[in-house]
Amino acid sequence: DAKTTQPTSMDCAEGRAANLPCNHSTISGNEYVYWYRQIHSQGPQYIIHGLKNNETNEMASLIITEDRKSSTLILPHATLRDTAVYYCIVRPDTSGTYKYIFGTGTRLKVLA
Amino acid sequence: EAGVTQFPSHSVIEKGQTVTLRCDPISGHDNLYWYRRVMGKEIKFLLHFVKESKQDESGMPNNRFLAERTGGTYSTLKVQPAELEDSGVYFCASSQDGNRGTIYFGEGSWLTVV
C-alpha cells in the first residue's frame, strides 16, 4: 500500500478554514484516499474518502490533485471541537479489507 | 443505529493475568477488525474477521493473543498472560463490506498492565 506523509502539527483560528495536506506520491490507480480523525483518546472517526474526484460531505471537503499524488482535507469553518489528530490513509478499493496503515497524522489545534 | 461497542472501557490487571476484551460490531456488519495503539506508537492493525473466519491475522503480535468471533457476531480478544508492553488502547472496527465503503471504530478498550 502507498505511504502517506503529513505535517506533524498545524494551528487554525476558530471559524477559519483548516486545510490539511497529505502527500501520497506513490499512490496506485485503484487506491482510495481516506481521512479519519481521533479526538483525544476516542476511536478514530471516519471523515471522508475519495478516488479521483473532489468530494464533499457534511463534515469536510476532500480535494485530490489531478495526478493524485497529494490531497487536502478542508474543514470549512473550524471549531474548537475539531481539535484532533487527522490521519490520511490510502487503500486499494479491491483489497477486500480495511487493513489500514496509520501514520503519525497531523495534530490540528483550533485556537479561540 | 448503535455503533461499535467495546467492553470494558478500562481495565487494569497485573502482569501475568488474563484479560478478555469484547467487541460488538454494528448490526449486519460481517467484517470486524481489531487494532491497537501501544504507548508511543502508531495505531496498528491486528486482525480481520469475515463473519466467524479469520481473514487476516498478520498483525497479531504473538501467541499470547487470541481472537475469536463465534457465530459471526461479537468478538473477543484475549491476552494471556498479559505483559507490561501490552498496555495501550485496543480498538475494534466493523464494516459492511470489504471494498467500497468504510469502517467504523469503537471507542476503544484501555488496558493497563502493572
Side-chain angles (χ1 to χ4, degrees), chain A residues 2-102:
Chain A
K3 294 289 196 302
T4 63
T5 304
Q6 300 177 251
T8 303
S9 64
M10 294 180 65
D11 290 342
C12 177
E14 187 178 21
R16 304 297 293 271
N19 297 281
L20 292 93
C22 179
N23 182 284
H24 30 80
S25 59
T26 61
I27 194 170
S28 299
N30 68 343
E31 289 187 308
Y32 277 77
V33 179
Y34 283 78
W35 282 84
Y36 282 78
R37 71 181 181 184
Q38 191 175 21
I39 299 174
H40 294 300
S41 54
Q42 298 175 18
Q45 177 189 24
Y46 167 77
I47 302 173
I48 199 166
H49 73 285
L51 183 64
K52 296 180 182 178
N53 300 321
N54 298 336
E55 302 286 344
T56 296
N57 63 21
E58 64 278 4
M59 289 182 68
S61 294
L62 174 59
I63 308 298
I64 302 174
T65 58
E66 192 169 341
D67 63 7
R68 302 206 330 115
K69 293 186 176 181
S70 66
S71 60
T72 301
L73 178 74
I74 301 173
L75 307 178
H77 305 287
T79 70
L80 298 179
R81 287 177 293 182
D82 292 321
T83 293
V85 178
Y86 288 76
Y87 297 99
C88 170
I89 300 167
V90 296
R91 188 191 78 87
D93 74 339
T94 55
S95 63
T97 178
Y98 292 91
K99 183 179 178 181
Y100 289 143
I101 298 175
F102 282 86

Side-chain angles (χ1 to χ4, degrees), chain A residues 32 34 36 38 41-46 49 85 87 91-104, chain B residues 31 33 35 37 42-45 48 56 58 89 91 95 97-108 110:
Chain A
Y32 277 77
Y34 283 78
Y36 282 78
Q38 191 175 21
S41 54
Q42 298 175 18
Q45 177 189 24
Y46 167 77
H49 73 285
V85 178
Y87 297 99
R91 188 191 78 87
D93 74 339
T94 55
S95 63
T97 178
Y98 292 91
K99 183 179 178 181
Y100 289 143
I101 298 175
F102 282 86
T104 54
Chain B
N31 293 269
Y33 302 78
Y35 284 77
R37 164 182 267 152
E42 295 154 13
I43 300 172
K44 296 283 191 185
F45 166 87
H48 169 205
D56 180 352
S58 61
V89 58
F91 294 110
S95 70
D97 64 43
N99 283 319
R100 296 184 180 274
T102 187
I103 62 173
Y104 299 92
F105 286 82
E107 293 302 306
W110 284 86

